[in-house]
Structures are given as C-alpha cells and as structure tokens.
Amino acid sequence: MEIFNHNSNVHFLRIRVFSIAVAIMLVIASVALLATKGLNYGLDFTGGVSLVVDYTQPVQTGDVRAALEKGGLENTVVQSVGGSREVSIRLQPTKDMLDAKGQVNLDKVAGTVMQALKAARSDASLKSRSSVSAEVGAELKSDGMVAAVFVILGIMAYLWIRFERRFAIAAVLTEIHDTLVTLGVLALVQREFDMTVLASVLAVIGYSINDKVVVFDRIRELFRLARKAEPEEILNRSINSTLSRTIITSLFTGITMAALFFYGGPAVHNFAITMLIGIVVGTLSSIFVASPILLWLGVSKKDLMPVTRENPELARRP
C-alpha cells in the first residue's frame, strides 16, 4: 500500500535552510513558553486530593462544579468517570483542611466536599478518596526528567552502534526538537500535565525515533548501492522512498489516538492529545529536519562502508 510513488523525486532538501530555521524557532519558542508559562502540572506532581463521588441519578459535571463553587471550593477539576453517575473531583486543599502538622486531613476535605454536593443534591455519596503530597510530586517530576534523558541517551548509543556517530547526533537533535516542541504546545494550551502525559511524552520519543530509523536504514542502503550519487541526492531519494510508509504509519496511529480521545474517557484525554501532537511533530521532523542535519554533519558513503574487505565490521553489519 502506497500513497506516494516509490520513485517520486520531491526535492525536500531544497528547503532545508527554511525547515531548519523553522525548527530552531519552534525550539526557542517552546523553551520560552516553558520558562514563562510553564507546564500545568496536575495533582500527580503538585500534590492534592482526589475524590470519586457516586450519584444515584445522572449528573452533569457543570452542575457538580457549580455546587462546589457555591460551597466555597474554587479551581476544582471535575470529570465524568465511567458514565454519567460517577464523577472524579480533584482540588488543592485550603488551609482549614490541614491538620496541626500541616498535613492534609482527608476527613475534613471529604466532609467539606460532600457538604457542598449534598446541599445541591442529596443522592451524592463518597466512593473513594486519596491524596498525593507535594514531596512525592517533586520526586515524580525529577524521575520523569531522568527517564527522558536516559531514553534519549540510549537511543544515541543504539544508533551510534547500528549506523554511525553522525546518525546518532542527528537523531538526538531531532528527538530533543520533538520533545521540546511537544512540551511547548502543552505549555501554550495549558493542558494538565500528569503521569499519563509523562508516559505519552516518553512514547512520543520512541515513536519519533522509529520513523527516523526507517529513513536512516534506507539512506544506508542507497549509499551502499549507489556508485557516484551525491549525499544530497541519496538523502532526498531516501525520504521519497519511505514517505508513504511514514505518512501511513502516522495516519493510522493518529486515527487510533483520536478514537482513544473520543471513546476512551476523560482519564486518557491528555494522553491521546499529547500523542497526536507528538505524532505530527515527529512526522514532520523525520521528513524536514533529520536528513538536513545529516547533510550538514557531512554524512557520506565512506562513513557507512568498511575500509577494506577484510574489515571484521563487514561481517557484523546487516
């Protein structure tokens, strides 16, 4: 199955100066957004209280939010859970909800919330409650950053072994680009950043590198087959020959994430949205950013071929 002709010759590298300039501007803008607006960290990272409330009759999240605001509880996050009769309520506890040691008193929080809800509707009942401390949230945040760094370093080591150092450098630069731009979009729209979003960011890193490895494999193959072709021509032919695969994979993965967003429930909304953003950014960087960086680094046929036939590297390479 192909969308584009396998032998098409669209000159993607002709606009490499423009595409790299746009990529750099997007990275700078993303860093600026992260430094100024920052990510909208959820309760997983900031700490807080989460409650699940059952109703005997269907209820609208807007009505629940209005009842909480009437009871003096503002800035709460209310979402439907598994239907129209169960809602999740997340909030930051106020000072009067803390005990003498400054710790969250779940009884006080639950009592205040249920009092506000029952004042509006008497059929509300508390199903569960839990809290996350700010210290735990800070630890999760640092662990997430460490995980992302290790993923990128592992990718670099893998590509350095499988291909050549220029490929590893190009891959890491584009992975940093994809990750920062995805986070920049999240900071711009202020989507809640919780553990599911962190998991999706790590998934975006893996998805993005998969696209680039396919293009890199084709580059290596064409370099070994071609006799006198210039690096720019090889890179351009590689993008064209893998373009259908790249678009089809991104399209169907995007359809899956869209279905997850519309039918998976509120719990996975942020995961699906982050994946959709990452898929678009990763696909565009595979086409317009990774290969221009390789060309700028000076990749050539000599980098991918053993110096002599007796070189033991020849036997190792697929």
Side-chain angles (χ1 to χ4, degrees), residues 224 306 308-318:
R224 291 178 174 180
T308 64
R309 185 172 294 275
E310 291 76 20
N311 194 317
E313 183 183 357
L314 183 63
R316 288 206 318 267
R317 291 188 174 182

Side-chain angles (χ1 to χ4, degrees), residues 240-304:
N240 278 276
S241 63
T242 58
L243 189 59
S244 288
R245 184 265 176 204
T246 298
I247 299 300
I248 290 172
T249 303
S250 300
L251 178 63
F252 280 96
T253 308
I255 291 173
T256 303
M257 290 300 108
L260 191 64
F261 177 82
F262 288 110
Y263 301 107
V268 294
H269 277 179
N270 289 335
F271 178 90
I273 285 291
T274 307
M275 282 297 298
L276 284 170
I277 296 169
I279 288 168
V280 173
V281 174
T283 300
L284 292 176
S285 71
S286 296
I287 298 172
F288 295 104
V289 180
S291 292
I293 292 176
L294 267 181
L295 187 63
W296 173 65
L297 291 173
V299 69
S300 65
K301 181 174 183 176
K302 183 175 67 175
D303 300 321
L304 299 171

Side-chain angles (χ1 to χ4, degrees), residues 112-288:
T112 304
V113 170
M114 294 310 299
Q115 182 179 357
L117 295 179
K118 285 182 177 293
R121 286 183 52 167
S122 60
D123 60 337
S125 61
L126 182 64
K127 182 178 180 180
S128 65
R129 61 190 183 181
S130 60
S131 66
V132 178
S133 69
E135 290 78 9
V136 173
E139 184 178 348
L140 290 173
K141 195 186 305 182
S142 62
D143 288 347
M145 290 188 290
V146 170
V149 170
F150 268 99
V151 168
I152 292 176
L153 290 178
I155 288 169
M156 184 174 184
Y158 163 73
L159 291 178
W160 198 311
I161 295 171
R162 178 169 178 177
F163 295 100
E164 195 261 344
R165 63 179 177 85
R166 291 177 178 83
F167 289 85
I169 294 171
V172 168
L173 290 177
T174 50
E175 286 298 296
I176 293 173
H177 163 273
D178 297 349
T179 304
L180 286 177
V181 172
T182 300
L183 292 176
V185 174
L186 293 176
L188 177 65
V189 300
Q190 286 294 287
R191 296 289 299 190
E192 185 180 7
F193 192 92
D194 53 19
M195 288 300 294
T196 59
V197 176
L198 175 60
S200 66
V201 170
L202 295 176
V204 163
I205 294 174
Y207 176 88
S208 179
I209 197 61
N210 180 65
D211 255 357
K212 291 158 184 61
V213 167
V214 171
V215 179
F216 289 172
D217 264 328
R218 187 59 177 159
I219 291 172
R220 179 172 61 178
E221 180 184 348
L222 291 181
F223 261 128
R224 291 178 174 180
L225 292 175
R227 291 180 177 271
K228 298 181 180 179
E230 293 296 321
E232 182 176 343
E233 180 185 350
I234 293 295
L235 295 176
N236 204 64
R237 285 171 56 191
S238 300
I239 298 173
N240 278 276
S241 63
T242 58
L243 189 59
S244 288
R245 184 265 176 204
T246 298
I247 299 300
I248 290 172
T249 303
S250 300
L251 178 63
F252 280 96
T253 308
I255 291 173
T256 303
M257 290 300 108
L260 191 64
F261 177 82
F262 288 110
Y263 301 107
V268 294
H269 277 179
N270 289 335
F271 178 90
I273 285 291
T274 307
M275 282 297 298
L276 284 170
I277 296 169
I279 288 168
V280 173
V281 174
T283 300
L284 292 176
S285 71
S286 296
I287 298 172
F288 295 104

